[in-house]
C-alpha cells in the first residue's frame, strides 16, 4: 500500500440522567432485564422467518430465513442463547443464495463460535469513470467460515478465524473472467461489554481483526486485511431508548483482488446499493437513535458518512459519502430481544430498502 493511514479515535459523548430517583429506576430496569435473560429453563425457540427485500441493482428479493434459538448447555445461565439457521433467497435479476449458519455461546460465555457455509450467484455492477460506463458482472461463490473466540479477561475475547471462498466473476460485455480461490487465516480481539448481544442498551462492542491471504495457502492474490470496529451504546430515557454510534475502518494491504475490495453500502453506510464506490480502504462513521415507544414496536433514525481510498476511480478517493434514513422495528423474540425490521435510506444519488434481522450494528 502506497500510503500510510492514520486513524483518529472519535470521542463520543452522551448526557446522563441525574437524581437518586432516576438512579433507582435504572437499577430496577437493569435487574428486570437480567432476570429476563436468565434462560436456564428455556427450551428451543423456533422462528419461521420470511425474508423480503428490495435493492436498486438486484431488484425485489424474497426468501426464507428460519432460525432456532436455544441454550446448548444445561444450567448455563450466563451465556446468551445460541442461534442456528438457514437462508434461502432469489431476486428479480436472478441473483440467488443459500446458506446455513450458527452462532454458539458456551460454558458461561467463555467460548464463542461462529460458523457458516453457502453458495450462490450475485448479478451486480460497478462504475468506471474513465469510460463513464456501468459494467455489469456476475459472481458465482462458494464459501465456508469458522471463527472461535475465548474470554481472556472480563469482556475481552481473543480468537482465530479461517475462511475459504471460491469466486468466479464474469464481466459480461468485457472479455475478462476472474476465477479465484481465497483462503485466509485471521486473528482478532474483541471487547464486548454489551448488556444483551442481540439488542444492546448499553456497553461497547469493539473489534480488531487481522486477516492474511498467504501464498502457501494457494492464494493467487497475496494480501493482508485489517479491520477496526468501534460500537458504543448509550441508554436514553431511563433505558427505554438507545443512542448507538459506530466507527469502521478497513485496510487492504498487498495484492488486492477485485472481489476483496471494500464497497460502500450495507452496514457502512446505508443508502448505497449500486456498488459505485469501492476501493482498497474504507472509513465510515454513523449514529442511530432507537426509539421504543411501545413494548414490542419501535423506530430508528440514522445518519452517517463513508469514504474510500485507493478507489477503482481516482475521482472517488476521499470523497465524502453521506447517508441517512428511517426504519421500523419489531421484537420477534421477547426472551432475547432480537428484532426484525425494515430500513429506508438515501445516499448521494442513490437509495436503498433494507430488511433487517437484528440491528444494523
Amino acid at each position: 500500500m502506497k500510503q500510510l493511514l492514520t486513524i483518529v479515535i472519535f470521542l463520543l459523548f452522551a448526557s446522563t440522567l441525574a437524581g437518586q430517583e432516576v438512579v433507582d429506576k435504572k437499577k430496577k430496569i437493569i435487574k428486570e432485564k437480567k432476570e429476563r435473560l436468565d434462560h436456564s429453563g428455556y427450551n428451543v425457540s423456533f422462528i419461521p422467518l420470511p425474508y423480503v427485500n428490495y435493492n436498486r441493482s438486484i431488484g425485489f428479493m424474497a426468501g426464507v430465513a428460519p432460525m432456532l434459538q436455544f441454550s446448548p448447555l444445561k444450567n448455563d445461565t450466563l451465556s446468551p442463547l445460541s442461534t442456528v439457521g438457514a437462508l434461502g433467497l432469489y431476486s428479480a435479476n436472478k441473483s440467488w443464495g443459500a446458506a446455513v449458519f450458527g452462532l454458539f455461546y458456551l460454558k458461561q460465555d467463555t467460548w464463542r463460535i461462529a460458523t457458516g457455509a453457502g453458495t450462490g450467484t450475485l448479478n451486480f455492477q460497478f462504475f468506471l469513470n474513465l469510460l463513464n460506463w456501468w459494467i455489469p458482472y456476475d459472481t458465482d461463490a462458494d464459501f465456508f467460515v469458522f471463527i472461535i473466540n475465548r474470554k481472556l479477561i472480563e469482556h475481552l475475547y481473543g480468537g482465530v478465524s479461517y475462511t475459504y471462498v471460491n469466486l468466479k466473476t464474469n464481466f459480461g460485455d468485457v472479455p475478462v473472467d476472474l476465477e479465484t480461490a481465497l483462503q485466509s487465516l485471521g486473528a482478532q480481539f474483541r471487547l464486548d461489554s454489551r448488556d444483551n448481544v442481540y439488542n444492546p442498551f448499553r456497553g461497547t462492542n469493539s473489534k480488531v481483526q487481522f486477516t492474511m491471504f498467504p501464498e502457501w495457502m494457494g492464494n493467487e492474490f497475496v494480501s493482508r486485511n485489517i479491520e477496526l470496529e468501534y460500537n458504543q451504546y448509550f441508554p436514553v430515557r431511563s433505558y427505554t431508548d438507545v443512542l448507538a454510534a459506530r466507527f469502521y475502518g478497513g485496510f487492504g494491504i498487498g495484492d488486492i483482488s477485485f472481489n476483496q475490495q471494500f464497497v460502500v453500502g450495507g452496514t457502512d453506510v446505508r443508502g448505497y446499493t449500486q456498488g459505485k464506490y469501492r476501493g482498497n480502504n474504507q472509513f465510515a462513521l454513523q449514529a442511530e437513535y432507537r426509539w421504543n415507544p411501545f413494548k414490542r414496536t419501535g423506530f430508528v433514525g440514522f445518519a452517517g458518512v463513508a469514504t474510500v481510498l485507493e478507489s477503482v476511480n481516482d475521482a472517488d478517493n476521499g470523497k465524502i459519502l453521506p447517508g441517512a434514513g428511517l426504519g421500523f422495528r419489531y421484537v420477534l423474540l421477547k426472551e432475547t430481544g432480537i428484532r426484525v425490521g425494515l430500513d429506508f435510506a438515501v445516499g448521494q444519488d442513490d437509495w436503498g430498502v433494507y430488511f433487517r434481522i437484528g440491528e444494523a450494528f
Side-chain angles (χ1 to χ4, degrees), residues 159-226:
V160 295
S161 64
Y162 168 79
T163 60
Y164 168 81
V165 184
N166 186 58
L167 301 162
K168 184 177 181 180
T169 301
N170 182 292
F171 288 93
D173 297 334
V174 180
V176 176
D177 293 333
L178 297 178
E179 186 168 3
T180 306
L182 300 171
Q183 293 193 76
S184 73
L185 291 175
Q188 66 174 239
F189 290 96
R190 182 182 292 274
L191 182 64
D192 187 356
S193 62
R194 292 172 294 176
D195 57 342
N196 182 343
V197 297
Y198 293 109
N199 185 13
F201 275 71
R202 62 184 174 89
T204 185
N205 181 29
S206 303
K207 183 181 77 171
V208 177
Q209 169 85 34
F210 174 79
T211 305
M212 62 177 181
F213 298 84
E215 185 177 5
W216 58 266
M217 294 186 74
N219 291 293
E220 180 182 355
F221 296 90
V222 177
S223 62
R224 288 143 337 261
N225 181 293
I226 299 174

Side-chain angles (χ1 to χ4, degrees), residues 5-222:
L5 303 175
T6 60
I7 298 175
V8 177
I9 304 300
F10 295 87
L11 300 178
L12 304 173
F13 299 95
S15 300
T16 58
L17 299 174
Q20 186 60 43
E21 181 179 354
V22 176
V23 173
D24 292 341
K25 186 177 181 179
K26 285 184 179 180
K27 290 181 179 179
K28 181 180 178 181
I29 293 173
I30 293 173
K31 181 180 179 182
E32 290 174 350
K33 286 171 66 65
K34 287 182 178 180
E35 288 174 350
R36 289 199 300 270
L37 293 173
D38 180 2
H39 52 261
S40 58
Y42 286 177
N43 294 315
V44 176
S45 295
F46 176 62
I47 308 172
L49 189 65
Y51 183 93
V52 291
N53 209 343
Y54 179 81
N55 184 298
R56 290 185 68 193
S57 299
I58 297 175
F60 180 76
M61 290 177 281
V64 293
M67 296 186 297
L68 290 173
Q69 289 199 309
F70 61 100
S71 182
L73 300 178
K74 188 176 181 180
N75 298 322
D76 185 349
T77 60
L78 293 181
S79 297
L81 292 184
S82 297
T83 301
V84 296
L87 174 65
L89 58 87
Y90 188 82
S91 77
N93 80 337
K94 299 183 181 180
S95 294
W96 65 275
V100 293
F101 60 89
L103 181 60
F104 303 95
Y105 299 91
L106 305 171
K107 200 174 180 181
Q108 308 297 330
D109 204 15
T110 299
W111 292 93
R112 294 181 174 185
I113 299 173
T115 187
T119 186
T121 296
L122 173 65
N123 299 310
F124 206 51
Q125 62 189 9
F126 75 98
F127 189 77
L128 195 61
N129 280 353
L130 182 64
L131 302 177
N132 193 30
W133 185 21
W134 286 99
I135 298 177
Y137 69 89
D138 61 85
T139 297
D140 297 327
D142 304 301
F143 74 90
F144 171 77
V145 59
F146 181 82
I147 306 169
I148 184 168
N149 279 277
R150 191 188 192 284
K151 182 182 289 185
L152 304 177
I153 58 176
E154 188 69 14
H155 302 312
L156 180 63
Y157 293 81
V160 295
S161 64
Y162 168 79
T163 60
Y164 168 81
V165 184
N166 186 58
L167 301 162
K168 184 177 181 180
T169 301
N170 182 292
F171 288 93
D173 297 334
V174 180
V176 176
D177 293 333
L178 297 178
E179 186 168 3
T180 306
L182 300 171
Q183 293 193 76
S184 73
L185 291 175
Q188 66 174 239
F189 290 96
R190 182 182 292 274
L191 182 64
D192 187 356
S193 62
R194 292 172 294 176
D195 57 342
N196 182 343
V197 297
Y198 293 109
N199 185 13
F201 275 71
R202 62 184 174 89
T204 185
N205 181 29
S206 303
K207 183 181 77 171
V208 177
Q209 169 85 34
F210 174 79
T211 305
M212 62 177 181
F213 298 84
E215 185 177 5
W216 58 266
M217 294 186 74
N219 291 293
E220 180 182 355
F221 296 90
V222 177

Side-chain angles (χ1 to χ4, degrees), residues 146-354:
F146 181 82
I147 306 169
I148 184 168
N149 279 277
R150 191 188 192 284
K151 182 182 289 185
L152 304 177
I153 58 176
E154 188 69 14
H155 302 312
L156 180 63
Y157 293 81
V160 295
S161 64
Y162 168 79
T163 60
Y164 168 81
V165 184
N166 186 58
L167 301 162
K168 184 177 181 180
T169 301
N170 182 292
F171 288 93
D173 297 334
V174 180
V176 176
D177 293 333
L178 297 178
E179 186 168 3
T180 306
L182 300 171
Q183 293 193 76
S184 73
L185 291 175
Q188 66 174 239
F189 290 96
R190 182 182 292 274
L191 182 64
D192 187 356
S193 62
R194 292 172 294 176
D195 57 342
N196 182 343
V197 297
Y198 293 109
N199 185 13
F201 275 71
R202 62 184 174 89
T204 185
N205 181 29
S206 303
K207 183 181 77 171
V208 177
Q209 169 85 34
F210 174 79
T211 305
M212 62 177 181
F213 298 84
E215 185 177 5
W216 58 266
M217 294 186 74
N219 291 293
E220 180 182 355
F221 296 90
V222 177
S223 62
R224 288 143 337 261
N225 181 293
I226 299 174
E227 293 181 273
L228 306 176
E229 296 181 17
Y230 179 78
N231 303 299
Q232 185 71 48
Y233 307 93
F234 305 96
V236 184
R237 290 203 309 133
S238 301
Y239 281 76
T240 301
D241 300 342
V242 184
L243 175 62
R246 172 178 170 85
F247 167 78
Y248 175 82
F251 310 86
I253 305 169
D255 191 8
I256 308 299
S257 71
F258 176 82
N259 288 302
Q260 290 175 294
Q261 291 179 321
F262 298 96
V263 181
V264 174
T267 299
D268 301 296
V269 162
R270 283 161 282 180
Y272 295 87
T273 63
Q274 295 188 295
K276 183 175 182 179
Y277 302 103
R278 61 188 303 142
N280 293 348
N281 308 290
Q282 179 183 345
F283 299 92
L285 180 66
Q286 61 179 309
E288 178 173 289
Y289 190 88
R290 299 169 184 170
W291 178 41
N292 302 307
F294 310 108
K295 285 186 177 180
R296 301 190 71 166
T297 304
F299 306 90
V300 300
F302 50 88
V305 293
T307 191
V308 291
L309 298 175
E310 295 189 32
S311 173
V312 170
N313 301 300
D314 291 340
D316 294 335
N317 282 324
K319 189 174 184 178
I320 301 301
L321 304 170
L326 300 171
F328 167 82
R329 295 290 184 272
Y330 179 77
V331 176
L332 191 65
L333 193 63
K334 291 189 293 183
E335 291 83 354
T336 59
I338 189 171
R339 309 202 298 179
V340 297
L342 199 66
D343 292 343
F344 176 79
V346 177
Q348 183 170 298
D349 301 321
D350 203 351
W351 58 275
V353 179
Y354 305 83

